[in-house]
Amino acid sequence: MSDRADRVRPENVARRWIEWRRPPEQSLFSGVYGLVLASALVAALDATGEKAEPGPDALWVLLTALASGAAHGYAHVIAQRASDDGAATTSRLRSVLAEWPLVAAVLPTVGILLAAVAGWWAEATAVDAALLFNTVALFGWGAWAARTAGHGWPSSCRAGGLDMLIGLVIIGANALLK
């Protein structure tokens, strides 16, 4: 009588587990895009010499992410329409809804700004915290994307470092413009 372990090939189980856990390329793209968008927005909304208003700033970050996600998804719809027959399909709606990682990526920034509304810290501190969080998250997304693509740890860390560089450029620009 054969044992169950004899029937299940470990490499097939591992491959299926990896495929199930692997984020689609679109999610990785949208997540990185959302983090960069949130960083740029929070840096731009933090104007020196103006009255701190973290609540409206948080709303602007969220609304801009929603508009950007919808615009990016709709751009996919337009591209599909140009290459197909132009009929509306549920796959086109899914193209727009597939941009949810972009919106999800800005939620930590919105949460950090809302913490300033609650008085947990000043808006300037919230902006610095959001920029730092997003920069570290860019490293994580970049490394995760490289690992997903099958790269080793050293290569994945280099990829994460390059993504993190985008956040550092935004931090540097924010510091120079103030």
Side-chain angles (χ1 to χ4, degrees):
M1 180 154 99
S2 69
D3 187 42
R4 177 163 162 50
D6 294 337
R7 288 183 277 145
V8 176
R9 294 188 180 138
E11 65 275 358
N12 288 340
V13 172
R15 188 178 307 125
R16 279 185 282 164
W17 186 84
I18 290 169
E19 288 297 321
W20 182 72
R21 297 273 189 219
R22 179 175 290 171
E25 182 180 322
Q26 181 64 34
S27 295
L28 292 170
F29 168 81
S30 294
V32 168
Y33 186 84
L35 287 169
V36 171
L37 179 69
S39 294
L41 284 169
V42 78
L45 290 172
D46 180 40
T48 305
E50 290 184 8
K51 182 179 178 244
E53 297 186 77
D57 288 352
L59 185 60
W60 271 114
V61 170
L62 183 60
L63 290 176
T64 303
L66 287 167
S68 295
H72 194 261
Y74 188 64
H76 285 292
V77 170
I78 292 170
Q80 285 176 344
R81 190 177 301 150
S83 65
D84 291 340
D85 64 359
T89 63
T90 57
S91 70
R92 294 198 175 141
L93 177 60
R94 280 193 299 262
S95 291
V96 174
L97 296 177
E99 296 299 324
W100 70 266
L102 188 153
V103 177
V106 305
L107 293 180
T109 299
V110 170
I112 290 169
L113 288 170
L114 290 177
V117 172
W120 294 356
W121 50 37
E123 183 183 29
T125 305
V127 168
D128 293 342
L131 290 173
L132 180 63
F133 175 87
N134 291 343
T135 300
V136 172
L138 280 167
F139 175 84
W141 277 97
W144 185 25
R147 290 293 296 161
T148 298
H151 295 273
W153 280 109
S155 177
S156 296
C157 288
R158 280 192 302 274
L162 287 174
D163 282 4
M164 187 174 170
L165 188 60
I166 298 168
L168 293 173
V169 166
I170 292 171
I171 289 172
N174 188 42
L176 287 174
L177 294 173
K178 286 188 175 182

